[in-house]
Amino acid sequence: MEQRQGDDQVIKEMQQCLLGTLKAIHQVCQEHGLTYYLLAGTMLGAVRHKGFIPWDDDADVAMPRPDYEILLAHANEWLPKRYELVTSGHPENYPYIFARIQDNETTYLMRRSFNFVGGVPVDVFPLDGMGAPGLRRWWHYVRFRLCWKLLYFTQTDPYKHGKGLRSCFTLLLRRIIKPAVLFRWIDHIRMEWNYGTSDYVVDHDYNPKRGIQPKEVYGKPVPMEFAGTTLMGVAKPDDYLRCCYGNYMELPKEIPPQNFRYLDLKTPWREYLKKNATT
């Protein structure tokens, strides 16, 4: 089932799949005393639509770094068998600096030119401590963005834009540095400030103006209605959403492009890989 722009029925079915994963995350966090928050567009959907933004084809949550590390260690024993957590370098070709909990009964390929194949995912971001505005914060983001960009070039298709200087640079970089090294560098940078003692927290969005918030904005998670169920949102949703989106109650003039290049809600991703390995 390949998604075409405007295929509302596919989006609705995908959102039901994402909702099942969000419920599983919520249940695990409730059972094991972990804190999580709806994040970004998923938080916006909870406030503006009481559920998903109608055209959204993804979902995001965030967790304080200590809770995030516990989830990484135990998610695959705590989650129902249908779901699986993947994270930086595990499996080896997983390219992102955050974790995902994916539905193993589906197949999903990201729009970007990575070769990772998995199930329909909910992205799980760590919330790290962040220092006050100033030179040290600026230098933190310079290093973070540099490592993130280098990681992208070690993971993406070197011939995405044809053969030339860009492909030569990408192939050379892969010989010099391995993704596993960059993942370690990025984590070291992200954890520069202790979460527990920091007045600010960050989800390390590429844009620090959006990603950094005072800790009290997240605060104690607040139950929120979401697509007929209850999930956990930030303590100060208006402050959070204004920082991220400005006038967040105003609908955008253009619908963003879809996040995937291939979607199959009926075929487990491992079956997809077996089939495509033999064709």
Coordinates of all heavy atoms in Angstrom, one line a residue, residues 9 14 26 42 45 91 127 147 158 165 182 186 194 199 204 226 262:
Q9 N -7.8 7.9 3.8 CA -8.1 6.6 4.5 C -6.8 6.0 5.0 O -6.8 5.4 6.1 CB -8.9 5.7 3.5 CG -9.3 4.4 4.2 CD -10.2 4.6 5.4 OE1 -11.0 5.5 5.4 NE2 -10.0 3.8 6.4
M14 N -3.2 4.5 9.4 CA -1.9 4.7 10.0 C -2.0 5.3 11.4 O -1.2 4.9 12.3 CB -1.0 5.5 9.1 CG 0.5 5.6 9.6 SD 1.5 6.6 8.4 CE 3.1 6.3 9.1
H26 N 2.4 4.3 26.9 CA 1.8 4.8 28.1 C 1.6 3.7 29.2 O 2.0 3.9 30.3 CB 0.4 5.3 27.7 CG -0.4 5.8 28.9 ND1 -0.3 7.0 29.5 CD2 -1.4 5.1 29.6 CE1 -1.1 7.1 30.5 NE2 -1.8 6.0 30.6
T42 N 2.5 16.0 18.0 CA 1.6 15.1 18.7 C 1.0 15.9 19.9 O -0.2 15.7 20.2 CB 2.3 13.8 19.2 OG1 3.1 13.3 18.1 CG2 1.3 12.8 19.7
G45 N -1.4 18.3 18.4 CA -2.7 17.6 18.1 C -3.6 17.4 19.3 O -4.8 17.5 19.2
P91 N 19.5 -1.8 15.6 CA 20.5 -2.5 14.8 C 21.5 -1.6 14.2 O 21.3 -0.4 14.2 CB 19.6 -3.3 13.8 CG 18.4 -2.4 13.6 CD 18.1 -1.9 15.0
L127 N 15.1 13.8 26.9 CA 15.2 15.2 27.3 C 16.4 15.4 28.2 O 16.5 14.7 29.2 CB 13.9 15.6 28.1 CG 12.6 15.7 27.4 CD1 11.5 15.9 28.4 CD2 12.6 16.8 26.3
C147 N 28.4 17.1 14.5 CA 28.4 15.7 14.6 C 27.2 15.1 14.0 O 27.3 14.0 13.3 CB 28.5 15.3 16.1 SG 30.1 15.6 16.9
P158 N 25.2 7.7 -0.8 CA 26.2 8.6 -1.3 C 25.9 9.1 -2.7 O 26.4 10.1 -3.2 CB 27.5 7.7 -1.3 CG 27.0 6.3 -1.3 CD 25.7 6.3 -0.6
L165 N 31.4 15.5 -6.5 CA 32.2 15.9 -5.3 C 31.4 15.4 -4.0 O 32.1 14.9 -3.1 CB 32.4 17.4 -5.2 CG 33.4 17.9 -6.2 CD1 33.5 19.5 -6.1 CD2 34.8 17.3 -6.0
L182 N 30.4 8.4 16.0 CA 29.6 9.6 16.0 C 28.4 9.5 17.0 O 28.1 10.5 17.7 CB 29.1 9.9 14.6 CG 30.2 10.4 13.7 CD1 29.7 10.3 12.2 CD2 30.7 11.8 14.0
I186 N 27.9 12.2 20.0 CA 26.6 13.0 20.1 C 26.0 12.8 21.5 O 25.6 13.7 22.1 CB 25.7 12.5 19.0 CG1 26.1 13.1 17.6 CG2 24.2 13.0 19.3 CD1 25.4 12.5 16.4
N194 N 23.6 18.0 33.4 CA 22.8 17.1 34.2 C 21.3 17.4 34.1 O 21.0 18.6 34.4 CB 23.3 17.0 35.6 CG 22.5 16.0 36.4 OD1 21.5 16.3 37.0 ND2 23.0 14.7 36.5
D199 N 18.1 24.0 34.9 CA 16.8 24.8 34.9 C 16.2 24.8 33.5 O 15.0 25.1 33.4 CB 17.1 26.3 35.2 CG 17.6 26.5 36.7 OD1 17.1 25.7 37.5 OD2 18.4 27.4 36.9
H204 N 16.9 18.4 21.9 CA 17.9 18.5 20.8 C 17.3 18.4 19.4 O 17.8 17.7 18.5 CB 19.0 17.4 21.0 CG 20.0 17.8 22.0 ND1 20.0 17.4 23.3 CD2 21.1 18.7 21.9 CE1 21.0 18.0 24.0 NE2 21.7 18.7 23.1
F226 N -6.7 12.2 24.1 CA -6.1 12.0 22.8 C -6.7 10.9 22.1 O -6.6 9.7 22.4 CB -4.6 11.7 23.0 CG -3.8 11.8 21.7 CD1 -3.1 13.0 21.3 CD2 -3.7 10.7 20.8 CE1 -2.4 13.1 20.2 CE2 -3.0 10.8 19.7 CZ -2.4 12.0 19.3
Y262 N 7.5 4.6 1.6 CA 6.8 3.3 1.4 C 6.1 2.9 2.7 O 6.7 3.1 3.8 CB 7.7 2.2 1.0 CG 7.0 0.9 0.7 CD1 6.4 0.6 -0.5 CD2 7.0 -0.1 1.8 CE1 5.8 -0.6 -0.7 CE2 6.3 -1.3 1.6 CZ 5.7 -1.6 0.4 OH 5.1 -2.7 0.2

